Amino acid sequence: MARSKEPIWWSMFSAGGVIAAFLIPATLLITGFAPLAGYITAEQLHDLIDRSWLVKIYLFILIALPLFHWAHRFRFTVADLGLRGGAALQAILFYGAAIVGTICAAVILIRA
Amino acid sequence: MPRHQPATPAKQHIRPMPVGWWLKRTSYFLFMMRELTCVFVGGYALFLLMLVARIGEPDAFAALLEHPGSLVFHVLALPFVLYHTITWFNVTPKALVIYRGEEKVNPVIIAGANYVGWIVVSVALIWIAWIAIGSA
């Protein structure tokens, strides 16, 4: 029997959960509510990302790990909501989407 | 001697669950809300990915940021990501049991340390963004 890959996905889920819990609320305020309230313009936010490697690394972490957090938890949510068929296909789809998203983020941020 | 075979093949018994089971009790509903926070956590990651994909085109970047759909998403996502933070910190003491000598560290202290850390990090992030924009 193949050894379970579950611990890997669980640790990615867990790491993403920590990152999301600590960083997403404040970042959401910066990208969503600050522009709405006029504290920051789209141009300022654009330049902030464009000219800083630190911000790019920050965004990479904030894209990659939460995607794996979503993939793992969403698998169980879908099953809990009653869709139990095609579990293997679902796993490939959700984890695959997280992997593709991570690669896209890396390529985009390295080129930008 | 032939191995014993059951008269009928064993079937995995799956208890049928009504589709709306999670609406039946407050605790079930809160469980489902906690699980559904992942849609907004992942959705926000996707939004950031779409945003950074437009770094090369400042006009498209601004158009996405100021799109009504993006604003609606932020407003919807905020309560869900806050609920993720709260539920995550509240289960942390269960996953992370710390001993100080023979004594277990009070779970309230572990969760409390997470909340304090979260507030410090959040204020720092907003402050850094504020300073960075001001110095531009």
Side-chain angles (χ1 to χ4, degrees), chain A residues 58-80:
Chain A
Y58 174 79
L59 288 175
F60 175 72
I61 293 167
L62 208 50
I63 291 167
L65 290 175
L67 280 179
F68 284 96
H69 173 84
W70 161 78
H72 191 68
R73 185 168 254 182
F74 197 59
R75 268 180 71 205
F76 294 99
T77 311
V78 166
D80 287 339

Side-chain angles (χ1 to χ4, degrees), chain A residues 80-82, chain B residues 16-26 28-29 32:
Chain A
D80 287 339
L81 285 172
Chain B
M17 289 285 265
V19 176
W21 64 268
W22 51 280
L23 291 167
K24 296 271 187 321
R25 278 194 200 176
T26 308
Y28 296 169
F29 177 76
M32 191 48 80

Side-chain angles (χ1 to χ4, degrees), chain B residues 11-114:
Chain B
K11 269 190 189 163
Q12 197 188 350
H13 177 71
I14 297 171
R15 198 156 58 102
M17 289 285 265
V19 176
W21 64 268
W22 51 280
L23 291 167
K24 296 271 187 321
R25 278 194 200 176
T26 308
S27 59
Y28 296 169
F29 177 76
L30 290 177
F31 166 81
M32 191 48 80
M33 289 303 109
R34 189 193 80 186
E35 295 305 284
L36 285 176
T37 60
C38 78
V39 173
F40 291 91
V41 167
Y44 188 58
L46 185 64
F47 169 78
L48 289 179
L49 183 61
M50 288 162 69
L51 204 59
V52 297
R54 287 161 173 76
I55 290 178
E57 313 151 70
D59 289 341
F61 181 96
L64 174 64
L65 201 69
E66 287 156 6
H67 193 277
S70 138
L71 294 177
V72 168
F73 173 78
H74 277 80
V75 171
L76 273 175
L78 187 64
F80 278 95
V81 298
L82 287 174
Y83 194 55
H84 166 74
T85 301
I86 292 165
T87 52
W88 195 264
F89 290 165
N90 290 350
V91 298
T92 301
K94 294 194 176 88
L96 183 85
V97 178
I98 300 173
Y99 281 90
R100 194 177 164 150
E102 295 283 298
E103 295 270 311
K104 245 190 214 177
V105 173
N106 190 337
V108 175
I109 292 174
I110 300 174
N114 276 287

